Amino acid sequence: MAELRHPPGTFDVMPAESGPWQSVVTTFAGVVASAGYGLILTPTFEDIGVFQRIGESTDVVRKEMYDFLDKGQRHVALRPEQTASVVRAFIQHRPTTPWKAWYAGSQFRFERPQAGRYREFHQVGIEAFGSADPDLDVEVVALGWEFYRAMGIHRMELLVNSLGDAACRPSYRQLLVDYLNSRHDELCDEHRDRIADNPLRVLDCKRPECRSVTASAPRQVDHLCADCAAHFARVTEGLAALSIPFTMQPTLVRGLDYYTRTTFEYAGTALESAQNALGGGGRYDGLVAAMGGPDTPAVGFALGVERILLALTAEAVTPRPVALLDAFVVDFSGGAAARDLTARLRAAGLRVDRSFDARSPKAQFKAADRSGARLALIVGPDEAAAGTVALKDLQNVGEQVSVPSELVVGEVTRRLI
Ligand code: AMP
């Protein structure tokens, strides 16, 4: 039989490697909880309509969605991103605003797998509903910045732009279409015929042909209405006030169509440019209404977990390793001591493991060493008869000491401090 392997574009994170993953989520949870964001869980799949509202012309919806008919003939899709699901939940449950939520979870996109680009990947993100205040944009951008710093990422650039709103985007869009049409022949194969379809996406194209055309394209920031200009000025002023350095990037449009006004991206400067987008987001004041909810402004971001780990490696930052175990019980007196001691230590909140199958002392000591535990707790026939446990530090060489069995929990706790 052929060897079973994970599907292309997916991966396993084995227990020995999962420490940094856990630290991403716990660090993120700590940072965003400090600003009042609460955890939200939504289904991994939704009715396809939820995601189609993201924008029929985005690649994520047009080409990359894992959609299928389920056994009840419902057309569903695995989520390609989570903002649409959070908006759907907001509309369904109508929490009072302002409403702030954070999430962590898998997303699915049928992309060509490559370094830093997967078919199932993970994002952490926040969404804040119910306020159009530009200071909220600043809060959101600052939380992402603070989180990367807390993870130890320093080689990073914050790119910001404003995409205008329903008042000023349409006229800018027309200006852009006219300009792109005038240089139609110079664009790359993919975008030459998509100008009318989604002209903003041409600005996002990284191919040199498109880049040389878009370098002198009209810029939305130069064509903002008075309200959008004031909003954007307050955002940049707020970032400066918080000493968060940023670069204006007039071609930053992001891949999803629902953004209005502020858009931003965190770029990892230690990474190759093909996967240097660590995360990004923006305001999406029209999405809740477009999905059938009450007119509600909102802003948020999504950060790629795999990209964070790539950036940490590229910057040679090792997140503090998470020791999996405090103690390992080695029992060659029959097994009852291992059973009882393990239960007692675990009940006291300690992380403890043991061997099974009455293995030889040698095999058990080897397992204890391999487990990465700080301490070995040893019970041979002598200790069993005397009601003691021998305690050995596996990380620092030292004397083995004998402790009365009833004092083991206290002694282990004292040594771990
Ligand atoms: P988006 O939802 O497209 O705005 O993406 C937000 C972030 O998710 C990006 O900046 C990346 O860090 C990450 N990301 C997007 N697509 C992928 C993918 N296929 N594989 C890994 N990370 C991804």
Side-chain angles (χ1 to χ4, degrees), residues 116-374:
R117 194 166 290 285
Y118 307 95
R119 289 182 172 170
E120 177 173 1
F121 60 98
H122 300 78
Q123 290 181 336
V124 289
I126 57 175
E127 315 289 355
F129 292 75
S131 169
D133 190 329
D135 286 359
L136 181 58
D137 307 29
V138 175
E139 171 179 297
V140 167
V141 176
L143 285 170
W145 183 265
E146 200 186 311
F147 160 68
Y148 286 121
R149 283 288 144 96
M151 285 303 300
I153 293 175
H154 289 273
R155 292 174 59 191
M156 178 175 64
E157 195 179 5
L158 169 63
L159 309 171
V160 298
N161 190 22
S162 174
L163 292 179
D165 65 4
C168 54
R169 177 115 52 105
S171 53
Y172 165 72
R173 192 179 189 276
Q174 193 52 50
L175 269 181
L176 183 62
V177 169
D178 294 345
Y179 171 80
L180 295 174
N181 278 334
S182 75
R183 301 189 59 176
H184 171 272
D185 296 344
E186 299 166 59
L187 297 174
C188 77
D189 290 346
E190 184 186 346
H191 289 115
R192 202 172 303 134
D193 301 319
R194 286 189 62 197
I195 298 175
D197 185 22
N198 196 345
L200 293 179
R201 283 314 303 271
V202 184
L203 296 177
D204 216 16
C205 180
K206 305 271 188 295
R207 294 191 191 96
E209 309 92 285
C210 280
R211 282 238 160 145
S212 65
V213 173
T214 54
S216 33
R219 307 161 1 141
Q220 174 75 71
V221 276
D222 300 329
H223 297 90
L224 295 175
C225 59
D227 285 350
C228 285
H231 185 101
F232 195 49
R234 176 78 188 182
V235 170
T236 52
E237 183 191 315
L239 293 175
L242 297 184
S243 303
I244 297 178
F246 62 89
T247 306
M248 262 302 299
Q249 173 103 341
T251 53
L252 180 75
V253 297
R254 317 244 332 113
L256 304 160
D257 283 350
Y258 49 63
Y259 290 115
T260 51
R261 295 192 167 172
T262 316
T263 49
F264 57 94
E265 195 159 285
Y266 307 95
T269 48
L271 295 175
E272 297 284 325
S273 66
Q275 72 267 0
N276 74 352
L278 293 175
R283 212 166 239 294
Y284 48 96
D285 290 345
L287 186 62
V288 178
M291 287 181 65
D295 205 3
T296 310
V299 52
F301 65 57
L303 316 179
V305 175
E306 289 76 9
R307 301 285 173 88
I308 294 164
L309 300 178
L310 276 179
L312 289 174
T313 309
E315 292 197 37
V317 179
T318 320
R320 214 160 7 104
V322 182
L324 293 178
L325 288 179
D326 297 320
F328 195 98
V329 179
V330 171
D331 175 3
F332 42 98
S333 68
R339 181 193 62 208
D340 301 341
L341 205 52
T342 307
R344 221 152 36 88
L345 290 157
R346 287 179 184 162
L350 295 161
R351 297 167 304 173
V352 186
D353 204 359
R354 51 163 294 193
S355 287
F356 291 92
D357 305 313
R359 301 175 75 201
S360 70
K362 192 171 157 218
Q364 291 195 48
F365 277 115
K366 212 162 143 191
D369 272 333
R370 249 199 242 128
S371 75
R374 196 39 217 289

